[in-house]
């Protein structure tokens, strides 16, 4: 037995002889800490509000609030998660009065709530598929690839009745997010197509698109 193994054995012998017990809370009292970025409830909370505020009702295609377009949804969510980019959009559009409602806090200029990756047509979160499945399983949204007008189809995120009820409660709890989503609505029409959002990202934020360098 070498010196290292011997010292380890002596150490554990001392613990045993002195009846040393690790202070560990019972399992039912232990708390599991989850980072916000890994908490699907956190994402669902924000996405419900986004669909309610930036979604549109367009009968007969959908009678509940819906955001249609994979790229449009992810870009709008990106602007909420990275509000300093929303500030840049306001500046690009030369609408300084909207800055009053942005209420950008100092820490929000330094880091984002959670990371998103470059995607073919803009930012995307690799967790979205899991988050959407979670929200569908909870009866909060429907996710379909379907018509949003007579001739075009897209990924559609639609609130259920339960999703609407909960989103209305969130509106009361999150005035800053509500104001920021109203800014998005003031800049981008609710019936904006994926193509329009793609063009906007390509023109003003090309570094967010996969395979494009610089801005």
């Amino acid at each position: 037995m070498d010196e290292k193994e011997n010292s380890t054995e002596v150490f554990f012998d001392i613990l045993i002889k002195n009846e040393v017990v690790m202070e560990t809370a019972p399992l039912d009292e232990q708390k599991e800490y989850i980072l916000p970025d890994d908490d699907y409830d956190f994402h669902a909370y924000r996405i419900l509000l986004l669909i309610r505020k930036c979604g549109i009702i367009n009968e007969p295609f959908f009678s509940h609030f819906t955001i249609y377009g994979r790229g449009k949804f992810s870009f709008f969510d990106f602007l909420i998660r990275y509000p300093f980019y929303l500030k840049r959009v306001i500046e690009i559009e030369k609408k300084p009065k909207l800055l009053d409602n942005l209420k950008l806090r100092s820490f929000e200029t330094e880091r984002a709530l959670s990371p998103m990756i470059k995607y073919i047509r803009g930012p995307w979160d690799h967790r979205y598929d899991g988050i959407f499945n979670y929200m569908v399983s909870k009866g909060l949204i429907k996710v379909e690839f379907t018509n949003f007008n007579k001739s075009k189809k897209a990924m559609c995120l639609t609130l259920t009745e339960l999703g609407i009820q909960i989103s209305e409660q969130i509106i009361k709890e999150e005035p800053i997010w509500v104001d920021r989503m109203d800014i998005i609505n003031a800049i981008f029409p609710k019936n904006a197509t994926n193509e329009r959002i793609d063009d906007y990202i390509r023109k003003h934020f090309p570094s967010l698109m996969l395979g494009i360098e610089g801005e």
Side-chain angles (χ1 to χ4, degrees), residues 36-55:
D37 205 40
D38 295 324
D39 185 350
Y40 282 9
D41 284 326
F42 173 77
H43 291 290
Y45 184 82
R46 182 191 67 254
I47 291 170
L48 282 175
L49 183 60
L50 183 64
I51 299 173
R52 171 62 182 82
K53 290 297 299 178
C54 296

Side-chain angles (χ1 to χ4, degrees), residues 105-129:
R105 294 162 288 195
S106 59
F107 74 89
E108 292 178 315
T109 65
E110 300 167 358
R111 61 184 176 86
L113 290 176
S114 47
M116 296 180 77
I117 61 174
K118 292 181 181 180
Y119 193 65
I120 296 171
R121 295 185 177 86
W124 184 257
D125 191 326
H126 66 278
R127 297 176 181 83
Y128 277 145
D129 288 346

Side-chain angles (χ1 to χ4, degrees), residues 13-103:
D13 282 342
I14 293 173
L15 293 182
I16 294 170
K17 290 177 182 178
N18 288 276
E19 298 182 350
V20 176
V21 179
M22 297 293 289
E23 293 186 4
T24 303
L27 287 176
D28 60 345
E29 295 179 13
Q30 293 181 23
K31 294 181 180 180
E32 182 180 358
Y33 292 94
I34 302 175
L35 292 173
D37 205 40
D38 295 324
D39 185 350
Y40 282 9
D41 284 326
F42 173 77
H43 291 290
Y45 184 82
R46 182 191 67 254
I47 291 170
L48 282 175
L49 183 60
L50 183 64
I51 299 173
R52 171 62 182 82
K53 290 297 299 178
C54 296
I56 188 172
I57 294 175
N58 184 24
E59 295 181 327
F61 304 103
F62 28 81
S63 56
H64 289 351
F65 295 99
T66 299
I67 290 182
Y68 55 84
R70 177 186 178 104
K72 181 169 73 171
F73 159 76
S74 63
F75 183 59
F76 287 178
D77 195 36
F78 175 83
L79 295 178
I80 297 302
R81 294 164 73 171
Y82 293 70
F84 49 86
Y85 271 92
L86 184 54
K87 179 176 183 289
R88 291 173 64 181
V89 169
I90 293 171
E91 293 167 347
I92 289 168
E93 296 301 313
K94 296 181 172 59
K95 295 185 177 183
K97 291 184 179 179
L98 294 177
L99 289 172
D100 295 337
N101 293 329
L102 185 60
K103 300 180 180 70

Side-chain angles (χ1 to χ4, degrees), residues 21 23 53 59 69 74 138 146 159 170 182 194:
V21 179
E23 293 186 4
K53 290 297 299 178
E59 295 181 327
S74 63
K138 296 293 184 181
T146 188
L159 294 181
I170 299 172
D182 284 339
N194 251 341

